[in-house]
């Protein structure tokens, strides 16, 4: 799976989980600063990413991400395993 494809899919998952359809999101969008992700959103996003990409991701790995691009990179590391 190509990185751009993963980024697009991650953005779609974020839009669905966070209900931010009107917010401009790209790979440089910051999860906390721009999207105001809270702990409930975090766990919902983690579950949705695991479900959509058919992966298992440790909470710590997602917690260490700052941008949408970081999330996509974390997903790619899991997809490649």
């Amino acid at each position: 799976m190509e990185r751009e494809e993963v980024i697009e899919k991650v953005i779609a998952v974020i839009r669905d989980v966070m209900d931010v359809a009107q917010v401009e999101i790209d790979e440089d969008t910051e999860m906390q600063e721009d999207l105001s992700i809270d702990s409930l959103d975090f766990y919902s996003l983690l579950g949705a990413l695991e479900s959509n990409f058919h992966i298992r991701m440790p909470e710590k790995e997602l917690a260490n991400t700052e941008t949408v691009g970081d999330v996509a990179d974390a997903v790619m590391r899991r997809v490649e395993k």
Side-chain angles (χ1 to χ4, degrees):
M1 189 175 264
E2 297 294 321
R3 187 172 190 271
E4 284 302 314
E5 185 180 357
V6 172
I7 289 172
E8 288 177 22
K9 197 168 179 180
V10 166
I11 290 172
V13 170
I14 290 170
R15 287 193 186 286
D16 185 49
V17 169
M18 308 257 325
D19 194 28
V20 289
Q22 304 305 318
V23 177
E24 184 70 30
I25 301 175
D26 61 27
E27 70 178 288
D28 296 320
T29 300
E30 296 197 17
M31 299 300 290
Q32 289 189 343
E33 188 173 314
D34 298 329
L35 299 177
S36 303
I37 190 170
D38 63 22
S39 59
L40 181 59
D41 295 328
F42 171 83
Y43 287 105
S44 297
L45 181 59
L46 179 62
L49 289 169
E50 289 180 335
S51 176
N52 278 275
F53 286 96
H54 308 290
I55 59 172
R56 297 295 303 159
M57 181 180 295
E59 294 172 17
K60 182 179 177 181
E61 191 166 349
L62 185 60
N64 289 331
T65 61
E66 293 182 18
T67 67
V68 171
D70 294 340
V71 173
D73 291 339
V75 166
M76 287 203 57
R77 284 191 296 274
R78 293 287 153 188
V79 168
E80 292 172 352
K81 287 188 175 183

